[in-house]
Amino acid sequence: MLPPAVMDNHTENDYKYGAYFAPYRSDEPKEMLGTGLTGADLAAIPEHWFAYPAPPASAHTALALVYVFFTAAALIGNGLVIFIFSTTKSLRTPSNLLVLQLAVLDFIMMLKAPIFIYNSIKRGFATGVIGCKIFAFMGSIMWIGAGLTNACIAYDRHSTITRPLDGRLSRGKVLLMMVCVWIYTAPWATLPLLQIWGRFVPEGFLTSCTFDYLTETFDNKLFVACMFVCVYIFPMLAIMYFYSGIVKQVFAHEAALREQAKKMNVDSLRSNQASGAESAEIRIAKAALTVCFLYVASWTPYGVMSLIGAFGDQTLLTPAVTMIPALACKGVACIDPWVYAISHPKYRQELQRRMPWLQIDEPDDNVSNTTNNTANSAAPA
């Protein structure tokens, strides 16, 4: 009930401006989420969403357009990585196999986007239970597999940098790690698909699907807790541990170089230090922070949202709020090719050779080395 003053002002404003805004007002009741659904489609939706009105058509249209952009960017970027890395012999190193697997997982992430776009065009749960299961199953494989693959990449780089003589992983060991990633991923995606433990349900605007974090049963809460720990916390801790070890190693190496330079009475043992080039410790620190930030930024919203749904105040999870985590992970699928592969000099050289119209200016290592050797030979002794 509004105070009298507010009510009088409200009535006066309605009297003044009511005729102007009348064409834009509607006395019809708002349509609620889930309206018109029956049978299995209706049963698949958690009761939490029935309390919210259906979003306007403009919201569905905006999300569909965003997904179209993300899909194009991710499929092109990851598609190029898959094509170049798989067809170039010099790039098929054991370490790059992990990058290739990450690109495949990001590619899978966006292959399910047409389901979301179609649902958005139809403004609801148009693809039904089957489309929901396909969407959520593909998303689960990508989420869990990408997290574990990121951890494997971190381990590979940690091993190479901290043990430069014998730390490089063999092809057999990398292939074994890749197989283990898929073996570990399969149960967490299959159990809710078959509704053995947990289930896949629509969320938010009912245009996307994920595992059920809203049903308040002991089994479901236990499933959410195990998922959070096993597929989010464990990979994140591994990534942070390995990359912090890399940064620590590089800082120790730089400190040793400075100490040796001090003993030799020189400013630096690095020839590029005088030219103002960025120090190795800063570059490695930036790379490590970027990798950690991408993983945390992409999947932390989902992790926090699932914990709130299972153990917290569910009223915080409005349809609009729950669409944010989906956008975060799709955005990172577009960025990953740039971080892991497009910054790779040899990849850029191969891309420049095969697609010169991209105007990529990456110097050829062979040309650079030949030029340097010629210049050194011509220089006076």
Side-chain angles (χ1 to χ4, degrees):
M1 187 71 175
L2 294 174
V6 177
M7 289 182 63
D8 291 341
N9 187 49
H10 179 71
T11 304
E12 183 180 350
N13 287 338
D14 283 348
Y15 178 77
K16 277 184 179 179
Y17 306 108
Y20 179 79
F21 288 106
Y24 305 98
R25 291 180 177 176
S26 176
D27 295 329
E28 296 180 3
K30 291 183 178 180
E31 181 179 333
M32 307 301 287
L33 282 171
T35 300
L37 297 177
T38 58
D41 291 348
L42 185 64
I45 302 173
E47 294 183 3
H48 174 79
W49 303 119
F50 296 143
Y52 295 94
S58 58
H60 283 299
T61 303
L63 282 175
L65 291 175
V66 170
Y67 265 67
V68 168
F69 171 77
F70 280 171
T71 302
L75 293 183
I76 292 173
N78 290 292
L80 283 175
V81 171
I82 295 170
F83 173 69
I84 298 296
F85 273 70
S86 59
T87 59
T88 306
K89 186 175 181 180
S90 61
L91 288 174
R92 291 199 296 268
T93 63
S95 297
N96 286 343
L97 289 178
L98 293 171
V99 177
L100 181 61
Q101 175 164 283
L102 184 64
V104 170
L105 289 166
D106 285 339
F107 196 87
I108 293 173
M109 162 68 80
M110 300 313 299
L111 283 180
K112 65 178 183 148
I115 296 176
F116 179 91
I117 295 170
Y118 180 78
N119 283 339
S120 296
I121 293 173
K122 294 295 184 179
R123 304 178 188 176
F125 197 42
T127 56
V129 174
I130 299 300
C132 180
K133 288 184 176 182
I134 294 173
F135 185 94
F137 179 72
M138 294 175 69
S140 298
I141 289 177
M142 188 276 155
W143 169 27
I144 303 167
L148 295 172
T149 304
N150 272 305
C152 291
I153 292 173
Y155 169 72
D156 170 63
R157 294 180 178 178
H158 177 270
S159 178
T160 301
I161 292 176
T162 57
R163 295 188 294 122
L165 298 179
D166 60 346
R168 291 190 177 277
L169 302 183
S170 65
R171 181 175 294 271
K173 189 172 183 179
V174 169
L175 290 175
L176 178 61
M177 292 169 62
M178 294 169 65
V179 171
C180 289
V181 166
W182 288 99
I183 292 175
Y184 189 90
T185 300
W188 294 108
T190 305
L191 290 175
L193 176 68
L194 302 178
Q195 296 189 12
I196 297 174
W197 193 21
R199 63 171 184 160
F200 292 139
V201 297
E203 64 173 344
F205 293 171
L206 308 185
T207 49
S208 64
C209 294
T210 185
F211 62 92
D212 185 3
Y213 51 81
L214 291 170
T215 301
E216 296 185 353
T217 63
F218 174 78
D219 283 346
N220 197 64
K221 290 184 177 181
L222 181 61
F223 174 75
V224 172
C226 290
M227 281 277 289
F228 181 79
V229 173
C230 295
V231 305
Y232 173 72
I233 294 297
F234 287 168
M236 185 179 68
L237 290 178
I239 291 171
M240 296 178 69
Y241 172 78
F242 290 128
Y243 276 108
S244 63
I246 291 173
V247 173
K248 182 179 178 181
Q249 176 73 15
V250 172
F251 270 79
H253 178 67
E254 292 292 321
L257 286 179
R258 287 193 293 268
E259 186 65 26
Q260 184 66 24
K262 187 184 297 184
K263 292 179 180 178
M264 298 173 63
N265 293 322
V266 296
D267 293 334
S268 175
L269 295 179
R270 294 187 177 277
S271 59
N272 64 348
Q273 195 72 28
S275 63
E278 192 174 42
S279 66
E281 61 188 71
I282 298 300
R283 286 187 282 110
I284 294 295
K286 284 183 177 181
L289 288 175
T290 300
V291 171
C292 291
F293 173 77
L294 281 177
Y295 182 75
V296 172
S298 60
W299 295 111
T300 296
Y302 250 131
V304 172
M305 184 178 67
S306 64
L307 289 184
I308 292 175
F311 305 102
D313 183 4
Q314 293 186 355
T315 60
L316 297 174
L317 304 180
T318 64
V321 167
T322 55
M323 300 308 294
I324 296 174
L327 291 174
C329 62
K330 304 301 184 299
V332 170
C334 302
I335 299 172
D336 274 346
W338 296 85
V339 174
Y340 288 102
I342 294 181
S343 60
H344 195 303
K346 290 185 179 180
Y347 172 80
R348 288 171 57 85
Q349 290 168 7
E350 190 65 24
L351 204 59
Q352 176 180 298
R353 186 180 68 83
R354 297 194 186 195
M355 303 177 184
W357 47 270
L358 289 176
Q359 298 296 314
I360 298 174
D361 185 18
E362 183 70 29
D364 193 329
D365 291 339
N366 295 328
V367 173
S368 299
N369 291 336
T370 303
T371 303
N372 290 337
N373 291 337
T374 303
N376 292 336
S377 300

